[in-house]
């Protein structure tokens, strides 16, 4: 089981079932929300179990998705597409020892010009989605 939380602990959760390996998202929204690129995994909605959600708030970031964050400490935690039964979870919110690895970078067409990617992982102009994406 993988556990995660925000910085202050007002939002805590666990992931049950299979979590996707981590992708680095370089889209403009993720960069603005996180301050850099956003590394994240995802699970089917039923696999995200909230243990504490006192601080959880949602922001409708586009017509098709919303972002979950802690309204107390400001930690960005989730990205939820409206048309898919999955939730994307910030890798930085997960407790160590989860065993997930970063496998690719997506939305390179929107990448900021202030950094380079030198880790040798595959890079994609966009993201095609897919099961448990």
């Amino acid at each position: 089981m993988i556990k995660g939380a925000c910085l202050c602990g007002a939002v805590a959760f666990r992931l049950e079932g299979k979590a996707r390996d981590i992708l680095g998202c370089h889209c403009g929204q993720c960069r603005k929300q996180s301050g850099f690129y956003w590394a994240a995994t995802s699970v089917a909605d039923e696999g995200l179990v909230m243990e504490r959600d006192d601080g959880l708030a949602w922001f409708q970031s586009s017509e098709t998705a919303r972002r979950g964050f802690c309204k107390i400490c400001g930690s960005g935690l989730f990205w939820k597409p409206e048309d898919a039964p999955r939730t994307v979870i910030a890798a930085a919110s997960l407790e160590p020892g989860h065993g997930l690895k970063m496998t690719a970078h997506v939305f390179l067409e929107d990448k900021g010009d202030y950094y380079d990617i030198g880790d040798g992982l595959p890079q994609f102009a966009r993201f095609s989605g897919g099961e448990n994406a």
Side-chain angles (χ1 to χ4, degrees):
M1 178 177 21
I2 298 172
K3 291 191 167 208
C6 66
L7 183 62
C8 72
V11 180
F13 56 90
R14 68 181 185 272
L15 307 182
E16 296 180 348
K18 181 165 175 40
R20 181 204 64 208
D21 275 327
I22 295 167
L23 297 178
C25 183
H26 298 264
C27 80
Q29 283 192 10
C30 282
R31 288 187 298 108
K32 285 182 179 185
Q33 187 261 333
S34 70
F36 197 42
Y37 69 85
W38 203 52
T41 183
S42 75
V43 296
D45 286 340
E46 62 271 11
L48 174 61
V49 179
M50 300 306 296
E51 294 181 344
R52 183 171 178 188
D53 63 0
D54 301 348
L56 184 58
W58 291 92
F59 169 68
Q60 191 74 35
S61 58
S62 73
E63 291 180 13
T64 60
R66 59 190 178 132
R67 292 176 181 271
F69 64 97
C70 178
K71 62 186 175 186
I72 298 168
C73 68
S75 295
L77 301 167
F78 309 117
W79 180 80
K80 175 72 180 117
E82 301 293 338
D83 63 348
R86 64 182 173 86
T87 301
V88 178
I89 301 105
S93 69
L94 304 177
E95 292 180 8
H98 51 70
L100 300 174
K101 302 289 183 202
M102 191 144 149
T103 57
H105 295 271
V106 297
F107 287 105
L108 270 290
E109 67 183 15
D110 297 333
K111 179 189 157 300
D113 59 2
Y114 54 92
Y115 62 94
D116 294 316
I117 302 170
D119 58 14
L121 294 175
Q123 300 179 17
F124 301 96
R126 301 206 45 81
F127 180 65
S128 62
E131 186 178 325
N132 203 26

